Amino acid sequence: MNPISQTALAARKSAHWLGLRLADRSIREEAFFLSNRDDLEPSLNSGSICSGDAGVMTILNRLAIEFPDDRALFRGAAKEILNNLLSSEEIGDNSLFSGTAGLLIALKDGLTFYGSQTVKQWYISRAHDYFDELLAEPPHDPSMGYTFDEYDLISGAAGHLRALSLLYEDFHTNREYLACLAIVREALLEASQVQEDGFPNCRIMPGDYYLESAIELPEGYINLGLAHGIPSVLSALAEASIAGAIALEKPSLSQSLKLLMNSSVGASLDWPSGFGLGGFENSLTSTHRVAWCYGTPGVSLSFKLLAECFQDLGLMRFARQSMRHALSQEKRTSGLISPTFCHGEAGVVTSAIAILGRNTNGLDASLIESHVSTLLNFLDPELPLGVQNYETASCGENQAGLLSGSAGVIHALLAYSSPSTLRGNPWSSITFTGR
């Protein structure tokens, strides 16, 4: 058996091992208690698809398919979560990653495996509530500048368009749904438009800074993350067009695509988190993440989607070239100290597979295998969930969720050992890694 097959076998065994722990509610409770962080989002019985049980359920559904001998265990755990979600209190917002939009995607997945009239009725009812909420709070006037929750993938319009595209099959004849689709499409097209100063509308103004200092960037800045920036806007529009939910013409995005392609650091294929409106040289960071959320892997995914949308072979080659560059970088940044999906190796592995494939030429396969091996080295049998998020604390955080927990690591390991799991997986769909 060749080395790549050995790595794939190790990834599959590890996914199974991590999955058995994830399926045990008592272990999830223990892990959350050990983290002892007041600011962690509650995960148990949470409708959040990114950090709560809603997302955990979608991974358990895949584990049930991949490991028939433990199908009853994984399905039983997923069914318990589904029942808890149906009886839990409503969640606080309507966003994709932590709110109703993401919960609907998880419920749609649950219907596939555990279809019942009760689940279907609840799914339809919450969907109509979601449409009403979205229509009642249309996107912000772009001339006033944006905050993250008005355009990004995590909580804004890009996330809403991604969710609406995934709901298209079930609601494309519904009037309220179509109205939401039209509003969000126009909002994102407006957000992506490059103005006379050479920058797009989706700029963060000084009064709306999240992580960055208004003193350092007094004129505002452009965000370049797939999670929070112009790549998320372009990717959502491209994916919705590929799915047939919206119509999209290439000229409408040509200027913003050119801006994104030209905003790498110097002549390299490294993308910063963003830059000040004074120009690209005013980067938000001196070092650049190599992650799904910010950095070359996420930006490369946006190029891939736009290439598929417009059937642009040159852009597809560029996407693959930039992804290879990210994989081959020797110096690791602060964004890759963790095994997790958002800021760590799991997101890089999954992004690479989505762009390059696993069974590809020897160089690509070797690059991906190297990152899978790094990911496997993070696993620790002494930890309750077998893996920790080291993003914000040297001692690590024991989380179960998809974004920063063990579920996201399992997803990456399954993507490598069983590439078919990327297809039809809600988490792949909302992170642009499933096509």
Side-chain angles (χ1 to χ4, degrees):
M1 186 176 290
N2 61 52
I4 291 180
S5 296
Q6 290 283 6
T7 304
L9 179 61
R12 182 173 177 82
K13 288 182 176 179
S14 296
H16 181 237
W17 171 67
L18 291 171
L20 292 175
R21 295 191 175 199
L22 187 68
D24 190 326
R25 179 182 172 86
S26 65
I27 292 179
R28 299 201 306 274
E29 290 175 339
E30 176 191 0
F32 185 78
F33 175 77
L34 288 175
S35 290
N36 195 26
R37 285 274 305 280
D38 293 336
D39 58 336
L40 284 178
E41 181 180 344
S43 58
L44 299 172
N45 297 336
S46 167
S48 167
I49 198 171
C50 77
S51 59
D53 268 356
V56 170
M57 179 185 70
T58 69
I59 292 300
L60 292 173
N61 287 337
R62 266 68 206 170
L63 289 165
I65 295 174
E66 290 295 322
F67 302 103
D69 290 346
D70 290 306
R71 181 173 299 164
L73 185 153
F74 289 127
R75 285 196 170 181
K79 186 74 175 292
E80 179 186 15
I81 289 175
L82 180 60
N83 290 335
N84 289 336
L85 290 174
L86 295 179
S87 61
S88 64
E89 296 181 1
E90 294 186 4
I91 49 183
D93 61 47
N94 63 359
S95 68
L96 178 61
F97 272 45
S98 61
T100 305
L103 174 60
L104 287 171
I105 303 307
L107 289 175
K108 181 179 173 68
D109 187 60
L111 271 174
T112 303
F113 292 92
Y114 316 101
S116 71
Q117 194 61 28
T118 300
V119 177
K120 183 176 181 180
Q121 289 176 349
W122 202 82
Y123 167 66
I124 293 173
S125 175
R126 287 311 306 271
H128 285 294
D129 291 342
Y130 168 60
F131 302 151
D132 290 342
E133 291 173 12
L134 202 53
L135 291 173
E137 297 184 15
H140 183 64
D141 180 357
S143 66
M144 301 297 291
Y146 282 80
T147 57
F148 283 0
D149 60 358
E150 288 165 335
Y151 77 89
D152 73 352
L153 182 68
I154 303 295
S155 56
H160 289 306
L161 183 57
R162 190 70 207 99
L164 291 169
S165 298
L166 293 168
L167 297 175
Y168 182 77
E169 179 183 9
D170 297 326
F171 297 100
H172 65 276
T173 61
N174 178 270
R175 182 183 304 174
E176 288 76 17
Y177 166 83
L178 293 174
C180 289
L181 194 62
I183 288 175
V184 174
R185 173 187 179 274
E186 292 307 310
L188 288 177
L189 283 173
E190 184 66 25
S192 70
Q193 295 309 298
V194 174
Q195 300 304 301
E196 292 182 359
D197 61 4
F199 304 120
N201 273 327
C202 58
R203 56 191 70 187
I204 304 295
M205 304 310 289
D208 296 321
Y209 286 142
Y210 177 53
L211 297 175
E212 288 73 29
S213 169
I215 297 177
E216 296 174 2
L217 302 172
E219 300 177 48
Y221 73 92
I222 302 297
N223 213 313
L224 291 177
L226 181 62
H228 296 297
I230 185 66
S232 70
V233 173
L234 301 181
S235 296
L237 287 166
E239 185 72 56
S241 177
I242 294 170
I246 66 169
L248 188 65
E249 298 295 331
K250 188 173 184 178
S252 65
L253 301 183
S254 59
Q255 286 185 295
S256 51
L257 173 57
K258 183 178 179 180
L259 175 94
L260 181 59
M261 293 184 71
N262 293 335
S263 61
S264 60
V265 181
S268 73
L269 290 173
D270 298 320
W271 273 264
S273 299
F275 57 85
L277 292 185
F280 300 134
E281 68 281 357
N282 190 4
S283 172
L284 296 181
T285 56
S286 57
T287 59
H288 309 293
R289 277 184 188 154
V290 186
W292 170 84
C293 61
Y294 280 107
T296 301
V299 173
S300 299
L301 280 170
S302 68
F303 291 142
K304 172 183 178 286
L305 288 169
L306 288 161
E308 291 178 342
C309 179
F310 301 129
Q311 299 182 352
D312 187 330
L313 294 179
L315 185 57
M316 181 62 78
R317 286 193 293 271
F318 186 73
R320 291 170 177 161
Q321 180 185 7
S322 59
M323 187 69 240
R324 290 185 189 109
H325 173 76
L327 292 174
S328 62
Q329 284 186 315
E330 294 182 1
K331 184 178 180 180
R332 289 286 145 249
T333 68
S334 60
L336 278 180
I337 64 171
S338 179
T340 54
F341 188 95
C342 187
H343 295 167
E345 288 286 356
V348 174
V349 166
T350 312
S351 299
I353 294 169
I355 295 172
L356 302 173
R358 188 175 74 82
N359 296 315
T360 180
N361 67 61
L363 175 61
D364 289 348
S366 178
L367 288 171
I368 296 173
E369 181 195 9
S370 174
H371 283 264
V372 174
S373 297
T374 300
L375 178 57
L376 290 170
N377 287 336
F378 277 102
L379 307 187
D380 185 348
E382 299 299 319
L383 299 171
L385 288 169
V387 68
Q388 282 185 334
N389 174 27
Y390 296 98
E391 175 191 341
T392 57
S394 59
C395 60
E397 297 164 355
N398 296 279
Q399 299 182 42
L402 284 158
L403 200 64
S404 301
S406 65
V409 174
I410 294 170
H411 171 72
L413 295 175
L414 287 179
Y416 183 74
S417 59
S418 304
S420 62
T421 59
L422 285 175
R423 304 288 181 177
N425 187 326
W427 187 237
S428 294
S429 297
I430 68 174
T431 56
F432 303 122
T433 57
R435 186 171 295 280

